[in-house]
């Protein structure tokens, strides 16, 4: 039976089909992951890193809770912080200056 | 086995392949793997290299399916990737790359429009054995054009897109390839 050039060309290379099947399968996109597989893929390869991060987070949370429950340090009674006093003084001076300006008008 | 390019509607499979569905890719690549390999192997004349180039083509296709504009053009797009891989392979070998460049005066040749069904007698089934043995004697650029013409029944416009050369150059290459084959046949005892 006579072959067309196309059929002859394909027949000439037909012994490569098993290799081509393997190449094709290797190139296929991976199937989508389920949620459980996704989490496993996310955590398992770096589980020590994730554990270390969790430990650091726990330490920070413990420190935060312990400092929140500690009693507040009392400030000296009847005195304002130094910065606040300076700010109040300068405000009073500005008020006085504005009053004088209005009076001159 | 007829060429798949013109006969099988591939748009649904290509649409699924765009969603990276493995089954769709498997069907699409399986339908084209042997013609694609035959094209690459006949062009580079090295079966190991051909296998590597086909594998690279498959991987590139899966990775860059977004660059395919029209789903119906999947086959010619796939062959275009393979052709580019072959050119990269030729560039690694200076001798082959020089052979792949245009022959002097090739672009000047004016060819009459050829109808697809009016195949040359040389490409008819009676001369198949001669065709295969003489194919190797053609320069790579002409061989590439003739292979695409014979293997997948691509139109001249599709061959132009696959090989990224002007339509006139494709016509010229095909004309020269057929003439060269005819001369070789006439020289045969």
């Amino acid at each position: 039976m006579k072959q067309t050039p196309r059929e002859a060309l394909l027949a000439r290379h037909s012994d490569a089909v098993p290799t081509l099947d393997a190449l094709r399968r290797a190139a296929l996109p991976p199937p989508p992951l389920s949620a459980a597989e996704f989490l496993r893929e996310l955590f398992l390869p770096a589980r020590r890193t994730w554990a270390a991060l969790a430990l650091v987070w726990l330490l920070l949370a413990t420190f935060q809770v312990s400092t929140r429950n500690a009693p507040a340090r009392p400030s000296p009674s009847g005195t304002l912080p130094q910065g606040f006093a300076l700010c109040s003084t300068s405000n009073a001076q500005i008020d006085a200056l504005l009053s004088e300006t209005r009076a001159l008008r | 086995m007829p060429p798949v390019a013109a006969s099988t509607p591939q748009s649904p499979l290509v649409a699924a392949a765009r969603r990276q569905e493995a089954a769709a890719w498997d069907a699409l690549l399986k339908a084209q793997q042997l013609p694609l390999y035959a094209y690459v192997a006949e062009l580079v004349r090295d079966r190991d290299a051909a296998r590597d180039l086909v594998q690279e083509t498959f991987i590139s296709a899966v990775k860059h399916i977004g660059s395919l504009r029209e789903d119906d053009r999947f086959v010619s797009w796939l062959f275009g990737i393979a052709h580019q891989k072959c050119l990269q392979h030729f560039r690694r070998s200076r001798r082959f790359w020089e052979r792949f460049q245009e022959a002097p005066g090739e672009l000047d040749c004016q060819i009459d429009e050829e109808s697809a069904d009016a195949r040359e007698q040389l490409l008819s089934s009676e001369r198949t054995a001669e065709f295969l043995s003489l194919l190797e004697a053609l320069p790579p650029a002409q061989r590439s054009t003739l292979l695409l013409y014979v293997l997948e029944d691509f139109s001249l416009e599709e061959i132009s897109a696959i090989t990224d050369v002007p339509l006139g150059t494709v016509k010229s290459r095909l004309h020269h390839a057929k003439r060269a084959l005819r001369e070789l046949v006439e020289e045969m005892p």
Side-chain angles (χ1 to χ4, degrees):
Chain A
M1 197 175 100
K2 299 284 184 185
Q3 286 181 313
T4 64
R6 180 178 194 273
E7 288 166 343
L9 277 169
L10 296 184
R12 183 192 255 186
H13 297 286
S14 59
D15 60 332
V17 169
T19 309
L20 293 172
D21 285 338
L23 294 179
R24 187 187 76 245
R25 284 189 212 105
L28 295 179
L33 296 175
S34 67
E37 286 170 333
F38 172 75
L39 290 174
R40 203 176 302 132
E41 286 290 316
L42 180 66
F43 287 107
L44 272 187
R47 54 185 181 275
R48 287 186 181 179
T49 308
W50 286 110
L53 279 172
L55 187 65
V56 168
W57 186 86
L58 274 175
L59 285 173
L60 285 171
T62 309
F63 177 75
Q64 175 72 13
V65 169
S66 63
T67 52
R68 189 189 297 164
N69 292 340
R73 194 168 44 180
S75 61
S77 59
T79 58
L80 290 170
Q82 194 179 1
F84 189 81
L86 282 173
C87 186
S88 301
T89 308
S90 60
N91 279 345
Q93 287 172 343
I94 290 168
D95 286 344
L97 190 63
L98 285 173
S99 305
E100 285 173 17
T101 311
R102 281 199 198 106
L104 284 174
R105 281 183 192 165
Chain B
M1 185 169 64
V4 177
S7 58
T8 308
Q10 295 191 312
S11 293
L13 278 178
V14 176
R18 286 184 189 279
R19 298 190 297 271
Q20 294 298 320
E21 289 182 16
W25 271 114
D26 194 46
L28 284 170
L29 296 180
K30 190 173 185 177
Q32 295 306 321
Q33 64 183 17
L34 188 54
L36 195 74
Y37 174 77
Y39 172 67
V40 173
E42 292 293 334
L43 197 55
V44 301
R45 305 234 156 261
D46 178 342
R47 292 196 165 206
D48 290 335
R51 278 193 286 270
D52 291 344
L53 293 171
V54 167
Q55 185 177 29
E56 287 176 25
T57 301
F58 286 170
I59 292 168
S60 284
V62 172
K63 193 173 175 183
H64 301 294
I65 183 68
S67 67
L68 172 64
R69 291 178 189 166
E70 298 171 49
D71 289 1
D72 291 338
R73 302 259 178 181
F74 175 81
V75 178
S76 59
W77 175 78
L78 189 67
F79 272 78
I81 295 174
H83 184 80
Q84 291 304 317
K85 299 287 179 194
C86 291
L87 293 189
Q88 289 168 9
H89 173 78
F90 283 136
R91 285 191 190 103
R92 289 180 213 130
S93 165
R94 189 180 175 81
R95 186 169 60 89
F96 278 106
W97 177 242
E98 285 169 355
R99 283 190 69 199
F100 205 86
Q101 300 306 298
E102 298 296 342
E106 190 179 61
L107 291 173
D108 300 333
C109 182
Q110 296 297 314
I111 308 297
D112 293 336
E113 196 67 42
E114 294 173 85
S115 60
D117 55 348
R119 302 274 169 165
E120 295 287 322
Q121 188 188 358
L122 189 67
L123 301 181
S124 67
S125 57
E126 289 78 16
R127 314 297 289 271
T128 298
E130 289 157 343
F131 168 76
L132 286 180
S133 62
L134 297 175
L135 193 62
E136 298 173 15
L138 291 176
Q142 291 176 15
R143 198 162 69 230
S144 160
T145 306
L146 192 62
L147 281 167
L148 291 169
Y149 188 66
V150 168
L151 263 176
E152 283 301 304
D153 204 16
F154 286 123
S155 67
L156 298 183
E157 288 79 9
E158 285 173 316
I159 296 173
S160 168
I162 290 167
T163 54
D164 198 23
V165 295
L167 185 60
T169 307
V170 172
K171 290 178 183 175
S172 170
R173 283 178 178 175
L174 194 59
H175 172 79
H176 281 284
K178 288 177 178 176
R179 193 174 65 185
L181 283 177
R182 198 178 299 118
E183 286 169 3
L184 287 167
V185 166
E186 286 167 2
E187 287 170 11
M188 285 177 81

